[in-house]
């Protein structure tokens, strides 16, 4: 991102949010606008496409905490984008207390004095730039680089997803070369600081009052040059490797959930922190229990006499002995009862419930006495028609 973009573009206005908007408010506004102006939803509409690019650029800056701070600092320093080029004779026509903007951004007719150098360092750090094209005399240390985030998947049994479990995850990815230990240099040699970018990994092209930064072409953004490359990694300092880590999966995870393990991703470079590991969870279904949020579910068969006359039935629990559930007389098929505290553990330490759904079973085979008993029951209830009310309501429509 160039300095000019930071000074002239109002990213908050582009997303329709205030300067004090939270990260969630920024994300919500971006998603709403992205759906509205996405090229797939506005085929052939050049204005919509341009608007989509504008809000995407704004979100890329404001969604990153570091880049957002740099953007806010830059606009605060220069009056939210209101600046003018130095006037004739090097006078700062914008009224910055006599500072020459050409000196501030490393361009113009500055003489490269110590004062100008410090101001150039300030802006270089603010906008992610380096020390120019390498013609200056300032030395810059190579910067640490954070490791990449890594994603993987694992499958858990139903019980393990409820109780939590420690799993072994085998990760294959790019890491430091085991031969040169990430330096990229052959054994017995060391890389040198890139003379073009002076170790920053970036070069900038000065255009008067602003500058464009890009990865250094000589060192490919590493900030180091290898004269005698490592034969194993060809000087890149990186190699594919496998490692096994022990990851603790918390209790109560659900199927399809993604768990973030901070610092378990790819290792960083030059002392930078490791990235994060994201684990997508797959849960094997249980033959008896289901899940609804923090509640467990189970369907329990009961006989017709139990449903009609009432009974106390044993119901399985995921952990421990079965529990007793009282079925009132006249319980209909499909009614659900709640057993407190027999569900999934929540983050606050409490448990969800066990939801027991009654399934009234119709006998497939009847003995002689059972058949006679049902005939007697039918005769005793012959005056009751459970469909009478249904038929009456149907006539009213």
């Amino acid at each position: 991102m160039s300095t000019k973009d930071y000074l002239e573009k109002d990213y908050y206005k582009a997303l329709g949010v205030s300067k004090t908007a939270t990260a969630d408010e920024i994300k919500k506004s971006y998603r709403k606008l992205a759906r509205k102006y996405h090229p797939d939803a506005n085929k052939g509409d050049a204005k919509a496409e341009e608007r989509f690019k504008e809000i995407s650029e704004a979100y890329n800056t404001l969604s990153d905490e570091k880049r957002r701070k740099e953007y806010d600092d830059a606009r605060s320093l220069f009056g939210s984008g209101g600046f003018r080029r130095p006037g004739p004779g090097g006078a700062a026509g914008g009224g910055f207390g006599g500072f020459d903007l050409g000196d501030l951004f490393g361009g113009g007719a500055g003489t490269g004095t110590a004062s100008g150098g410090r101001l150039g360092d300030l802006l270089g750090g603010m906008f992610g730039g380096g020390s120019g094209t390498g013609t200056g005399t300032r030395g810059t240390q190579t910067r640490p680089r954070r490791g990449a985030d890594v994603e993987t998947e694992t499958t858990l049994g139903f019980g393990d997803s409820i109780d939590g479990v420690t799993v072994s995850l085998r990760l294959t990815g790019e890491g430091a070369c085991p031969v040169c230990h990430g330096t990229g240099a052959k054994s017995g040699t060391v890389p040198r600081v890139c003379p073009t970018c002076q170790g920053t990994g970036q070069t900038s092209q000065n255009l008067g009052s602003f500058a464009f930064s890009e990865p250094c072409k000589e060192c490919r953004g590493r900030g180091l040059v290898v004269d005698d490359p490592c034969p194993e990694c060809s000087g890149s300092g990186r190699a594919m490797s496998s490692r096994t880590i022990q990851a603790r999966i918390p209790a109560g995870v659900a199927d399809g959930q993604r768990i973030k393990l901070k610092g378990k991703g790819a290792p960083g470079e030059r002392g930078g922190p490791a990235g994060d590991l994201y684990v997508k969870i797959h849960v094997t279904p249980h033959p008896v229990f289901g899940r609804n949020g923090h509640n467990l579910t189970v369907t329990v068969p009961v006989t017709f006499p139990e449903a009609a006359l009432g009974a106390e039935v044993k119901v399985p629990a995921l952990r421990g002995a079965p529990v007793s559930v009282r079925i009132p007389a006249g319980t209909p098929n499909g009614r659900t009862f709640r057993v407190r505290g027999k569900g999934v553990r929540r983050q606050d330490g409490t448990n969800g419930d066990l939801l027991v759904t009654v399934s009234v079973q119709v006998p497939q085979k009847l003995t002689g006495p059972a058949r006679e008993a049902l005939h007697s029951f039918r005769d005793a209830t012959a005056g009751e028609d459970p469909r009478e009310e249904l038929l009456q309501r149907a006539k009213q429509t």
Side-chain angles (χ1 to χ4, degrees):
M1 182 59 58
S2 70
T3 303
K4 181 179 180 182
D5 287 337
Y6 270 16
L7 298 181
E8 294 185 351
K9 295 184 178 181
D10 189 340
Y11 291 146
Y12 293 103
K13 183 178 180 180
L15 292 179
V17 297
S18 68
K19 293 182 180 180
T20 58
T22 64
D24 287 340
E25 290 172 340
I26 290 173
K27 181 186 292 186
K28 182 178 180 180
S29 179
Y30 166 72
R31 288 179 174 177
K32 178 180 178 181
L33 293 172
R35 285 194 296 267
K36 180 178 180 181
Y37 292 103
H38 196 282
D40 291 344
N42 301 271
K43 296 186 181 298
D45 190 337
K47 291 184 177 180
E49 181 177 356
E50 187 64 28
R51 179 75 172 112
F52 181 77
K53 292 179 180 178
E54 179 186 11
I55 62 178
S56 298
E57 179 182 328
Y59 180 70
N60 285 339
T61 296
L62 299 184
S63 62
D64 185 288
E65 183 177 350
K66 180 179 178 182
R67 295 181 65 184
R68 180 179 180 181
K69 184 178 186 304
E70 292 175 351
Y71 172 73
D72 290 341
D73 289 345
R75 291 178 64 82
S76 175
L77 179 62
F78 295 110
S80 300
F83 71 94
R84 295 195 294 267
R85 286 177 173 269
F96 280 95
F99 290 126
D100 187 334
L101 287 179
D103 288 338
L104 281 175
F105 292 104
T111 61
T113 63
S115 175
R118 287 193 297 272
L119 291 171
D121 286 339
L122 168 65
L123 271 298
M126 182 177 294
F127 300 110
S131 54
T133 60
T135 58
T137 59
R138 298 187 306 272
T140 306
Q141 295 182 348
T142 56
R143 299 178 181 176
R145 181 180 296 177
R146 180 182 181 273
D149 292 337
V150 178
E151 291 195 11
T152 189
E153 300 180 348
T154 190
T155 300
L156 306 179
F158 189 87
D160 287 339
S161 72
I162 301 301
D163 300 333
V165 66
T166 298
V167 298
S168 296
L169 299 175
R170 186 171 179 81
L171 305 177
T172 301
E174 192 179 65
C177 173
V179 176
C180 66
H181 305 290
T183 67
K186 188 177 180 180
S187 179
T189 66
V190 293
R192 57 187 173 87
V193 175
C194 176
T196 299
C197 66
Q198 298 187 10
T200 65
Q202 292 185 331
T203 57
S204 60
Q205 180 182 3
N206 294 318
L207 300 175
S209 296
F210 56 91
F212 293 98
S213 296
E214 61 182 357
C216 176
K217 295 180 180 179
E218 181 169 347
C219 65
R220 298 182 180 181
R222 290 192 66 200
L224 300 172
V225 175
V226 177
D227 296 317
D228 196 358
C230 168
E232 179 69 21
C233 64
S234 301
S236 68
R238 313 294 286 175
M240 297 299 293
S241 61
S242 296
R243 58 193 173 103
T244 300
I245 66 169
Q246 301 297 314
R248 178 64 187 175
I249 307 299
V253 294
D255 184 55
Q257 186 174 343
R258 293 172 77 240
I259 303 298
K260 176 182 176 181
L261 302 176
K262 188 173 181 60
K264 295 294 186 180
E269 292 186 62
R270 308 187 201 105
D276 299 329
L277 173 63
Y278 292 88
V279 184
K280 185 174 182 180
I281 304 298
H282 300 284
V283 179
T284 303
H286 195 280
V288 173
F289 297 97
R291 183 171 174 181
N292 182 6
H294 288 93
N295 298 322
L296 294 178
T297 62
V298 63
T299 299
V300 177
V302 297
T303 66
F304 175 74
E306 288 174 331
L309 302 176
E312 187 170 298
V313 299
K314 293 290 186 181
V315 176
L318 184 63
R319 295 287 182 265
V323 296
S324 295
V325 175
R326 179 65 186 172
I327 306 296
T331 295
N333 182 62
R335 182 174 177 181
T336 298
F337 299 89
R338 185 183 297 270
V339 181
R340 300 286 182 182
K342 293 296 183 178
V344 181
R345 181 171 294 275
R346 303 184 181 93
Q347 290 184 352
D348 61 3
T350 62
N351 286 353
D353 303 327
L354 175 63
L355 305 181
V356 181
T357 301
V358 168
S359 175
V360 178
Q361 302 296 294
V362 177
Q364 300 298 309
K365 295 181 180 180
L366 294 173
T367 62
R371 184 179 296 275
E372 291 178 5
L374 283 178
H375 279 297
S376 298
F377 175 77
R378 183 185 61 185
D379 294 341
T381 58
E384 301 177 7
D385 185 356
R387 293 169 293 278
E388 181 177 358
E389 182 181 354
L390 175 68
L391 296 172
Q392 290 297 328
R393 290 203 310 264
K395 292 179 181 180
Q396 297 174 3
T397 59

